Amino acid sequence: MGVSTYVGYVKDNEIRVQSSSGGIFYLLSKYIILSMHGVVFGAQFDEKWNVEHGYCEKIEDVNNFMGSKYVQSDLKNVYIQTKDFLDQGRWVLFSGTPCQIYGLKAFLKDEYKTLLTMDFICHGVASPLTWEKYLREISKEKEISSVNFRDKTNGWRNFSLKINFSDGSSYKQDLNHDYYMRGYLANLFLRPSCYCCKFKTIERKADITLGDFWGIDNMPEVYNKEGVSVIFVHSELGQKVLQMIKGEVELWETNFWTAIDENSAFMQSAEKPAKREDFFRSIRENFSLVRSIGYCTSESLSTVVKKFLKKAIISIKILLRK
């Protein structure tokens, strides 16, 4: 089947607030766990606030997988665990980056009718070393109690990175002023393969692809301040499961090209910054991460103009395809 494209959000406001965008992942998990008595795999924080993949069988534990985590996750042995559950006849929802879904399918080899896979529009995965160094500098040896890459107190479109500490204090900066997010969005410390990603294609190995619907200006009638998801369905199984949860979702069908108009990361690899090597050399020599990111993300006027022109060309190409 071709790609079916939707935009929407969960009707439950509390779930939307906890989610990165519209809360669709939570409903997929709820269906697999409660209706199909299955298992959900996703990315979570470990006890040191590094990111790893794990699984859960209880709906209350799905919260660990909710919310974006802009760090490369350690897969550990989850492919083996997934196969074990599938061989037992259990339903499994496996969520991950497009390359992780591809790796899972290559590992399994066989097709499983009880496997639902979900990837997302991936900007790229960041270096765990950079994240660890950032946490050390921000925490200043205080104990961390929670991390939220997408705090939506000021709304979904102007989210903040928020870190709470056990002493009751917190750190919070919006995406334009937090140095980690500034470096991440500038592609400064992504893994090398993210600059030439082979998995940013229209047709995916995943049954469903989720993302933020940044093209909201094209459909103002669907705007919700807590977040709106774009949903790409690639398989009959994905379509079937979406129909099973649609009673809990405000849902609109839309055009594929409209949906990716402001989501070039769906098909386009991240551009490698000229100062990437300078950045990693700097942090290896133990310079401040904040200062290193600040130096390496300062742009000349010519760079700004080039990026503007590149985005304009992409937009024109998308319009010509419609």
Side-chain angles (χ1 to χ4, degrees):
M1 62 173 283
V3 182
S4 299
T5 310
Y6 305 87
V7 296
Y9 53 84
V10 175
K11 295 176 181 178
D12 188 318
N13 184 67
E14 186 176 340
I15 294 172
R16 289 202 308 277
V17 170
Q18 294 179 53
S19 305
S20 293
S21 49
I24 305 300
F25 168 70
Y26 178 84
L27 288 188
L28 296 175
S29 301
K30 180 181 174 183
Y31 173 76
I32 292 297
I33 290 175
L34 297 184
S35 298
M36 308 307 292
H37 309 292
V39 183
V40 173
F41 284 82
Q44 61 187 1
F45 292 110
D46 67 11
E47 66 280 357
K48 295 182 179 179
W49 301 100
N50 298 312
V51 180
E52 64 178 14
H53 256 65
Y55 73 86
C56 72
E57 300 177 75
K58 298 179 180 179
I59 190 62
E60 56 265 30
D61 294 333
V62 171
N63 290 342
N64 295 330
F65 303 145
M66 293 172 68
S68 297
K69 299 169 182 71
Y70 299 124
V71 189
Q72 181 181 350
S73 68
D74 184 349
L75 287 172
K76 296 184 176 294
N77 61 343
V78 293
Y79 286 176
I80 296 172
Q81 292 172 326
T82 299
K83 187 177 189 305
D84 287 343
F85 282 122
L86 291 169
D87 286 341
Q88 294 168 25
R90 300 283 300 277
W91 272 87
V92 172
L93 166 59
F94 192 100
S95 62
T97 62
C99 58
Q100 288 172 339
I101 300 299
Y102 186 93
L104 173 66
K105 292 293 185 75
F107 172 80
L108 293 175
K109 297 180 182 177
D110 297 326
E111 291 291 329
Y112 288 87
K113 294 181 179 180
T114 57
L115 173 63
L116 177 70
T117 52
M118 188 214 86
D119 67 8
F120 50 87
I121 300 175
C122 181
H123 177 86
V125 292
S127 154
L129 172 66
T130 304
W131 173 242
E132 290 170 13
K133 188 173 179 66
Y134 169 83
L135 284 182
R136 285 197 300 272
E137 291 189 13
I138 292 297
S139 65
K140 298 177 182 177
E141 299 186 353
K142 291 190 290 187
E143 183 180 359
I144 297 171
S145 58
S146 67
V147 174
N148 187 350
F149 279 99
R150 297 284 295 271
D151 178 84
K152 297 191 283 190
T153 303
N154 297 323
W156 161 61
R157 302 182 80 172
N158 189 36
F159 63 85
S160 301
L161 195 162
K162 184 176 182 180
I163 301 173
N164 290 321
F165 302 103
S166 298
D167 64 3
S169 63
S170 64
Y171 165 88
K172 180 181 175 182
Q173 287 287 353
D174 67 47
L175 72 163
N176 296 310
H177 294 93
D178 174 77
Y179 275 88
Y180 184 86
M181 289 306 302
R182 182 170 159 182
Y184 174 75
L185 294 173
N187 309 327
L188 189 59
F189 39 77
L190 305 183
R191 62 176 297 171
S193 59
C194 294
Y195 303 116
C196 54
C197 181
K198 299 178 181 179
F199 308 99
K200 290 177 176 287
T201 56
I202 295 178
E203 295 184 0
R204 301 287 180 101
K205 290 292 184 180
D207 297 294
I208 295 174
T209 299
L210 297 180
D212 295 288
F213 185 49
W214 297 125
I216 195 73
D217 293 335
N218 296 320
M219 295 179 67
E221 69 276 12
V222 310
Y223 176 73
N224 184 285
K225 69 176 183 177
E226 271 83 39
V228 181
S229 296
V230 59
I231 308 157
F232 302 96
V233 181
H234 306 284
S235 71
E236 292 182 6
L237 176 60
Q239 191 68 255
K240 178 182 177 180
V241 173
L242 183 62
Q243 294 304 307
M244 296 301 294
I245 68 171
K246 71 175 185 178
E248 298 180 72
V249 182
E250 297 287 357
L251 197 66
W252 295 262
E253 191 164 4
T254 189
N255 176 271
F256 173 82
W257 298 108
T258 298
I260 69 166
D261 191 17
E262 298 293 333
N263 255 317
S264 59
F266 186 95
M267 297 179 64
Q268 182 181 347
S269 295
E271 183 177 351
K272 184 177 180 180
K275 294 182 179 179
R276 183 180 186 276
E277 300 309 319
D278 292 340
F279 168 76
F280 279 103
R281 187 180 305 112
S282 177
I283 64 170
R284 280 195 296 268
E285 293 174 359
N286 213 29
F287 283 92
S288 161
L289 181 74
V290 168
R291 291 182 64 182
S292 299
I293 292 173
Y295 166 72
C296 293
T297 57
S298 58
E299 296 181 329
S300 65
L301 178 61
S302 61
T303 301
V304 173
V305 171
K306 285 179 182 177
K307 285 189 174 182
F308 173 80
L309 291 174
K310 185 173 183 178
K311 286 184 177 180
I313 290 170
I314 291 170
S315 296
I316 291 170
K317 287 181 177 178
I318 288 172
L319 287 171
L320 292 175
R321 287 172 177 168
K322 292 180 180 179

